Amino acid sequence: MNFCGRERRKGFTMRRTTRKIKAGSVEIGGDAPVSVQGMTKVPTGDVLGILKEFRRMISSGAEIIRVAVLNPGDAETIPVLKKSFDVPVVADIHYLPELALLSMRKGADKIRINPYNMQKKYIRDIIKEAKISGIPIRIGINSGSVKIKGTLAGSLVHSALDTLKFFQDRDFHDIVLSLKTPDVRDTLETYRKISEACDYPLHLGITEAGRGLLAESKSILGIGALLLEGIGDTIRVSLTEPSSREIEMGKAILQSAGLRRFGPEIISCPTCGRTRVDIFSVLSMVEREIRKLGKRHPGIKKMKIAVMGCSVNGPGEAKQADIGIAGGEGKFALFKKGTIIGTYGQDEIVGKLIGEIKKTF
């Protein structure tokens, strides 16, 4: 078994050193950026439906998309997707090994299998085909599919290492590994253990998280904590919500962790009894104008913009922002890097802010 260390990257955090594999045009692991992926929610055989969902997911920022393959008809959709989009297509296979073989032959860029719902004699055939086709395999083990002996984390890691040995004995190393549970603490413990035991790239996620605030919080805590520890090479947020929402949350987690930048960061105060301006409408206008600017000036995604409601949360607390505004008694101060450069009424402040931002391009 290969052991791994940590290295500091970009002065931010210690990132786990992993092998690098390639799914289509997207690299996973090594020095590649942590990628955002999602899974479609319509039947894969519904060609019109899945094409529509792919477009939504790609528009939201999906970098890898996984589809469920339940029958040969589903596999027939893979070449249609490959012809229509550049994003890598991952075939998700359970129980029926022949579907894994068919999906690879139809052009899947990667396959995902759970080795605990297939007999090993069939997995040998999958490994052989993947080697011939040059296709990586995600070994996706969930907490519900392993026998628990001792702790859940220990059982998952033991199962993963046993499976990895089976693949390594057949000289197959183009592997991405995931060990998912619905529980945040179990997930953290499991990934910490496996990250010290092998150097394969890790796919992060909280499985069966549900929907709403609790589900989103579980995903943010579980995925985010691991990323901040330098663990994780690709992520999928799993929610009982539209797939595009999963992608948006995944991007937000990566940007919040300081690992990727997908758009400008607008920081704003929560408001309180000190607020004497309509910060909510001003913030809405700023957001709208920034979205427009982003379409013409991609460089804006590197900016941090502050919208503050009073002098307490004004230039002082927002010194880290590149530019911002702070409300007073019916008027706003415009500042750069904490230094006030002008004072304007509420009806003109957004225009002045956007004008200053445009000067940077």
Side-chain angles (χ1 to χ4, degrees):
M1 189 61 60
N2 295 300
F3 286 79
C4 60
R6 307 264 196 243
E7 65 176 7
R8 183 169 295 278
R9 290 184 181 160
K10 297 183 180 178
F12 178 74
T13 188
M14 303 296 286
R15 174 118 181 248
R16 174 178 176 267
T17 305
T18 64
R19 298 168 181 260
K20 182 184 288 184
I21 67 100
K22 199 169 183 181
S25 60
V26 176
E27 294 178 330
I28 302 173
D31 59 356
V34 179
S35 53
V36 180
Q37 58 179 279
M39 187 168 183
T40 54
K41 313 226 173 187
V42 302
T44 307
D46 176 4
V47 176
L48 293 179
I50 204 164
L51 287 172
K52 185 177 180 180
E53 186 169 12
F54 257 63
R55 281 191 287 270
R56 285 198 302 265
M57 294 174 75
I58 292 170
S59 177
S60 296
E63 294 168 318
I64 300 171
I65 300 180
R66 181 162 41 118
V67 300
V69 178
L70 280 67
N71 54 60
D74 289 341
E76 294 293 338
T77 303
I78 293 173
V80 178
L81 296 170
K82 294 280 293 175
K83 183 179 179 180
S84 303
F85 306 102
D86 292 330
V87 67
V89 178
V90 182
D92 191 88
I93 315 294
H94 291 275
Y95 306 114
L96 300 174
E98 62 269 24
L99 294 179
L101 302 177
L102 180 59
S103 295
M104 287 188 277
R105 292 165 187 164
K106 289 295 180 180
D109 297 293
K110 185 173 127 201
I111 63 166
R112 180 270 172 123
I113 62 171
N114 184 334
Y116 289 92
N117 57 33
M118 287 183 189
Q119 294 183 41
K120 285 189 174 180
K121 63 181 181 180
Y122 297 123
I123 297 176
R124 292 190 189 99
D125 295 332
I126 293 172
I127 292 173
K128 183 179 179 180
E129 181 67 33
K131 289 175 74 172
I132 292 170
S133 304
I135 294 172
I137 296 174
R138 173 157 74 94
I139 300 172
I141 303 175
N142 289 350
S143 55
S145 60
V146 300
K147 293 181 179 179
I148 309 300
K149 293 182 179 179
T151 66
L152 174 58
S155 300
L156 280 165
V157 171
H158 175 78
S159 299
L161 295 179
D162 182 63
T163 301
L164 285 174
K165 185 176 185 308
F166 183 84
F167 278 71
Q168 290 169 334
D169 287 347
R170 284 146 188 85
D171 194 30
F172 190 85
H173 304 281
D174 286 340
I175 296 167
V176 179
L177 185 62
S178 66
L179 303 171
K180 295 185 183 180
T181 87
D183 183 84
V184 171
R185 290 183 181 273
D186 285 334
T187 298
L188 294 178
E189 184 180 357
T190 299
Y191 276 98
R192 286 166 180 160
K193 286 179 179 292
I194 197 64
S195 73
E196 294 298 333
C198 74
D199 65 352
Y200 291 103
L202 297 178
H203 169 120
L204 303 185
I206 303 290
T207 192
E208 301 153 5
R211 72 175 180 181
L213 291 176
L214 182 58
E216 293 174 359
S217 298
K218 288 166 69 174
S219 297
I220 292 166
L221 283 170
I223 296 172
L226 289 168
L227 291 173
L228 289 173
E229 292 178 21
I231 298 171
D233 301 282
T234 185
I235 67 172
R236 187 258 171 127
V237 175
S238 300
L239 301 172
T240 314
E241 296 192 33
S243 52
S244 56
R245 173 65 174 166
E246 295 180 346
I247 300 301
E248 290 165 357
M249 278 211 63
K251 290 168 58 181
I253 291 171
L254 286 177
Q255 181 156 330
S256 296
L259 296 175
R260 300 279 302 272
R261 200 65 187 255
F262 299 99
E265 182 177 353
I266 300 178
I267 60 174
S268 60
C269 69
T271 76
C272 67
R274 290 190 298 266
T275 307
R276 293 293 181 269
V277 290
D278 185 0
I279 197 69
F280 295 101
S281 63
V282 170
L283 177 60
S284 295
M285 287 189 286
V286 171
E287 290 172 335
R288 184 173 61 251
E289 293 302 318
I290 293 301
R291 282 195 296 271
K292 292 179 184 177
L293 274 182
K295 295 177 181 178
R296 300 192 300 272
H297 304 288
I300 198 173
K301 69 181 182 180
K302 298 179 181 179
M303 295 192 73
K304 182 178 284 189
I305 302 158
V307 179
M308 299 300 186
C310 72
S311 58
V312 174
N313 284 326
E317 283 199 22
K319 281 181 180 177
Q320 301 90 341
D322 298 296
I323 192 168
I325 56 177
E329 193 69 46
K331 55 187 174 181
F332 280 82
L334 174 63
F335 58 88
K336 285 185 175 180
K337 298 292 185 181
T339 300
I340 295 175
I341 61 173
T343 304
Y344 306 94
Q346 181 172 318
D347 59 341
E348 58 181 338
I349 188 59
V350 175
K352 294 293 183 180
L353 172 65
I354 298 303
E356 286 296 323
I357 291 174
K358 285 180 178 178
K359 291 179 183 179
T360 64
F361 302 113

